[in-house]
Amino acid sequence: MYLDPHSVTRVTSLGAGPIGGGWAAHFLARGYDVTAYIHDESERAAFDAIVDTAWISLETLGLDAGASRARLTVTTDLEMALDGAQFVQESAPERLEIKQTLYARMGELLPENIVIGSSTSGLTMTEIQAGCQTPARCVIGHPFNPPYLLPLVEIVGGKQTDPAAVAWAGAFYEAAGKAPLIMKKEIPGFVATRLQEALWREALHMVAAGEATPEDIDIALINGPAPRMVVQGQCMAFHVACGAGGMATNLDQFGPALKWPWTRLDAPELTQELRDRMVDGCNSIAGDRDFEDMAADRDAKIVAVLNALRQSG
């Protein structure tokens, strides 16, 4: 029913924001023909700036054969954007009514064998596909930001999704140079975002309690677990940390510590004071650097890490 995922040459990316623009840049760098749909021509300058920024890093990482900015078409006409698409990556605003309307329209315009992947980070596919007349081919394909650099894509279907569409999406994203994670079931926040949010809640609690500043927290992460997590996730980091006994030793020795009152997993009350502490702390870290400079610096360092991993095998 579905195309051979390795035969796809034409991708449509919907959305003009950092995720939509980032996806467009990623697919261009992998040698696809890309049609990008933006809602209004006023979004074009911001979209182009995202692709321009991404392209610097993508060229440093190395472009696939045939990759070219000339293979990008940008349009405000949804029907034109979907014409001839062999895969669609949807990155519309995170509002359920917008996505449901969009999927209902795509159900009318796209052949049933064309898979649609949603970049949503907070909605479920069961909700999104509710008004689509062809829901079986609709999946979540949730990236990490920036999607043109970070490989992860979390994939899961909704209640009406064909399992074959989920498997197809996994194969396609892998062919497109991503690291797909096919999830076992729909859960709020997927996998990586839930882990990230747990860390974020702990950070907010420490700032609220006066235990650490935003700068303290980022120093601790950058110089502590972050470098290790590039090569080992949390589970394997603890498995290897305990020597030959592995995770069994870890849990047997440190299991009681799980009950110690270190963590505060409930979300803190976002008071005006906490809000101001976070904003002031982050503005202090940023100094006089603007968004473009900080994003470029971030991307260059991620590229260096990715290239180092490649060289190390």
Side-chain angles (χ1 to χ4, degrees):
M1 178 181 180
Y2 303 108
L3 306 174
D4 177 351
H6 295 87
S7 73
V8 173
T9 60
R10 182 175 296 277
V11 172
T12 293
S13 175
L14 307 181
I19 303 300
W23 269 120
H26 169 78
F27 287 126
L28 283 173
R30 301 282 72 84
Y32 293 93
D33 291 309
V34 179
T35 301
Y37 168 77
I38 61 176
H39 182 67
D40 189 271
E41 190 60 36
S42 63
E43 301 172 337
R44 180 63 187 269
F47 174 86
D48 287 342
I50 292 165
V51 176
D52 289 343
T53 298
W55 207 251
I56 296 169
S57 297
L58 290 166
E59 285 187 315
T60 303
L61 279 173
L63 305 175
D64 282 13
S68 171
R69 292 282 299 272
R71 299 178 73 169
L72 173 65
T73 300
V74 183
T75 180
T76 58
D77 184 327
L78 181 62
E79 187 169 353
M80 175 185 170
L82 298 175
D83 185 34
Q86 296 172 313
F87 174 73
V88 177
Q89 184 73 42
E90 171 271 309
S91 306
E94 285 285 85
R95 287 169 52 190
L96 182 58
E97 66 274 16
I98 290 177
K99 290 189 185 287
Q100 286 181 336
T101 300
L102 181 57
Y103 276 70
R105 185 69 177 131
M106 287 195 285
E108 299 169 352
L109 295 173
L110 281 169
E112 291 187 35
N113 67 334
I114 303 302
V115 173
I116 305 169
S118 177
S119 300
T120 183
S121 59
L123 301 172
T124 67
M125 181 46 67
T126 294
E127 296 172 309
I128 293 170
Q129 69 189 181
C132 181
Q133 65 188 33
T134 55
R137 42 71 174 280
C138 301
V139 305
I140 300 291
H142 172 242
F144 243 50
N145 195 22
Y148 52 86
L149 289 182
L150 298 181
L152 180 67
V153 182
E154 296 174 303
I155 304 164
V156 67
K159 289 183 178 178
Q160 300 183 74
T161 302
D162 178 4
V166 174
W168 186 96
F172 168 74
Y173 283 122
E174 185 172 18
K178 305 299 279 185
L181 169 61
I182 296 180
M183 296 175 54
K184 305 298 185 291
K185 61 173 69 176
E186 283 187 299
I187 57 172
F190 314 110
V191 175
T193 300
R194 284 179 63 167
L195 294 169
Q196 181 176 255
E197 285 300 303
L199 186 62
W200 176 232
R201 287 194 294 273
E202 292 299 312
L204 289 174
H205 275 298
M206 284 190 279
V207 172
E211 297 164 345
T213 66
E215 184 176 19
D216 294 335
I217 289 163
D218 282 2
I219 287 173
L221 290 172
I222 290 168
N223 296 286
R228 185 179 65 198
M229 281 191 170
V230 172
V231 294
Q232 287 181 330
Q234 190 62 63
C235 297
M236 284 306 296
F238 278 13
H239 178 74
V240 175
C242 286
M247 182 58 75
T249 297
N250 180 290
L251 293 176
D252 293 342
Q253 284 192 8
F254 301 109
L258 296 173
K259 297 293 185 180
W260 293 354
W262 288 357
T263 64
R264 309 177 182 93
L265 287 180
D266 291 336
E269 186 69 29
L270 187 56
T271 63
Q272 185 67 39
E273 181 184 11
L274 175 55
R275 182 260 182 204
D276 291 345
R277 284 191 192 180
M278 291 302 302
V279 171
D280 293 345
C282 290
N283 284 339
S284 175
I285 297 170
D288 59 1
R289 295 176 297 166
D290 59 22
F291 163 75
E292 287 79 8
D293 289 339
M294 289 187 288
D297 182 62
R298 173 202 66 192
D299 289 0
K301 289 172 179 174
I302 292 174
V303 166
V305 169
L306 293 174
N307 274 331
L309 288 174
R310 284 180 180 177
Q311 292 166 9
S312 70

